[in-house]
Amino acid sequence: MSQARIIDGKAFAERLRARLKGQVEDLARRHGPVPGLAVVLVGEDPASQVYVRSKGRATVEAGMRSFEHRLPESTDQATLLAVIDRLNRDPEVHGILVQLPLPRGIDAGAVIEAIDPAKDVDGFHPYNAGRLALGLPGLVPCTPLGCLMLLRDVLGDLSGRRALVLGRSTIVGRPMAQLLLGADCTVTIAHSRTRDLVEECRRAEILVAAVGRPGMVRGDWIRPGATVIDVGINRVAAKEPGDEPGKTRLVGDVDFAEAVEVAGAITPVPGGVGPMTIACLLHNTLHAACAIHGVPVPEAA
Ligand code: GUN
């Protein structure tokens, strides 16, 4: 068997961001809204700070407005809800993202439900989750949307394909399964209680791994020629010869070295799904702005 095609999510995301920038410019030429994204960060979580900074930079690069709200770790729920209420009513804000995880003592579900569903660019509000489950248009969670774009790019029509989603989180696994169902795949959701997990995986022509367990999916779990989408971003100790003690690296949920010998196509970590998430956030912000203003999304140049 030859090695799998490596799916270049970084290059795909760069093309998508360039296209979005053109669409934002087109909107401005027609005197449409300048899309605005508000990102709310509560506390000092280092990974969240990095994500929020990257989101802000990408938003500005796409020609959109970025509004950052940093609140201290000690913020109580009522204060956070008041910030969201203000953003819901702010006409310059078309997308609201509250960075997760939130500090202990804040009910993330209540916070998500407080966001105006029309501005819910994460697609986490029950209204948007319900619309996705019903096959209706709405705002779709960014990471699964990015995975679907990559799958369509690699495979074209997904109709009738046997897909397995490993993981049932509300952020990735469940919406991913809904999107694949919407694309007419035959979908299985596998999780920690699934029996005969390896056999389930081996049947899949499309395998999406989103469990947060480094290297869990081994080469012999994969059907030869399958398309493998690795959503995992796990920081582990680097163990290559010559690595300094204490050094870390990012790995996915799939054992890449093994899987690349079996799969037909596979996303690497880093550089696969990761860059797609921010690009899809910008995509959702543009779509939210157009929907709120009742204008069509400009055609890509
Ligand atoms: N934290 C990790 N991933 C995400 C995401 O996609 N959205 C939000 N809001 N927080 C996150």
Side-chain angles (χ1 to χ4, degrees):
M1 261 307 271
S2 58
Q3 282 211 333
R5 166 181 167 187
I6 310 296
I7 303 170
D8 190 344
K10 186 161 177 276
F12 190 102
E14 277 166 14
R15 288 195 299 276
L16 176 55
R17 283 167 58 173
R19 196 159 67 234
L20 289 164
K21 186 175 175 156
Q23 290 171 287
V24 169
E25 283 164 4
D26 198 19
L27 205 54
R29 266 196 300 277
R30 296 168 199 223
H31 309 289
V34 178
L37 173 64
V39 176
V40 182
L41 173 62
V42 186
E44 312 283 330
D45 180 69
S48 292
Q49 287 182 338
V50 173
Y51 287 135
V52 165
R53 213 172 307 126
S54 323
K55 285 168 185 173
R57 203 179 313 128
T59 306
V60 172
E61 273 171 22
M64 304 185 188
R65 285 201 189 107
S66 168
F67 307 96
E68 265 184 39
H69 294 264
R70 289 169 183 266
L71 305 173
E73 182 87 23
S74 59
T75 302
D76 64 16
Q77 187 160 321
T79 306
L80 179 55
L81 292 176
V83 169
I84 290 170
D85 183 52
R86 224 173 43 239
L87 296 172
N88 282 341
R89 287 185 282 107
D90 185 338
E92 292 196 340
V93 171
H94 305 100
I96 302 170
L97 181 146
V98 178
Q99 186 65 31
L100 302 176
L102 286 166
R104 257 182 307 163
I106 297 185
D107 175 355
V111 171
I112 289 165
E113 285 206 48
I115 297 172
D116 178 349
K119 299 188 176 186
D120 168 38
V121 283
D122 258 330
F124 294 165
H125 193 288
Y127 175 84
N128 284 313
R131 289 188 68 89
L132 179 60
L134 293 171
L136 298 170
L139 290 164
V140 172
C142 303
T143 300
L145 180 59
C147 294
L148 184 73
M149 287 182 187
L150 293 177
L151 283 168
R152 284 198 193 284
D153 189 54
V154 173
L155 295 171
D157 184 16
L158 304 180
S159 174
R161 304 242 188 201
R162 211 184 284 273
L164 182 126
V165 180
L166 187 50
R168 55 177 158 177
S169 73
T170 51
I171 293 181
V172 183
R174 286 169 203 245
M176 185 75 249
Q178 297 290 357
L179 285 172
L180 290 165
L181 190 57
D184 298 322
C185 290
T186 302
V187 183
T188 302
I189 305 178
H191 47 77
S192 52
R193 300 294 176 90
T194 295
R195 268 185 286 123
D196 304 323
L197 176 60
V198 176
E199 277 66 41
E200 293 288 351
C201 289
R202 273 196 204 126
R203 266 203 288 277
E205 302 168 76
I206 294 170
L207 176 59
V208 181
V211 279
R213 285 167 162 263
M216 174 174 165
V217 177
R218 307 296 301 265
D220 63 357
W221 294 28
I222 294 167
R223 179 191 177 98
T227 303
V228 177
I229 304 290
D230 189 352
V231 183
I233 302 178
N234 309 291
R235 191 165 285 284
V236 298
K239 287 201 289 264
E240 303 299 319
D243 278 335
E244 296 156 33
K247 198 172 163 218
T248 62
R249 66 191 176 106
L250 290 179
V251 299
D253 292 345
V254 177
D255 185 320
F256 184 85
E258 290 182 7
V260 77
E261 302 293 337
V262 187
I266 184 168
T267 57
V269 177
V273 172
M276 292 299 293
T277 299
I278 290 185
C280 287
L281 175 64
L282 302 175
H283 169 275
N284 281 352
T285 304
L286 171 65
H287 280 250
C290 290
I292 288 167
H293 286 263
V295 299
V297 178
E299 299 272 337

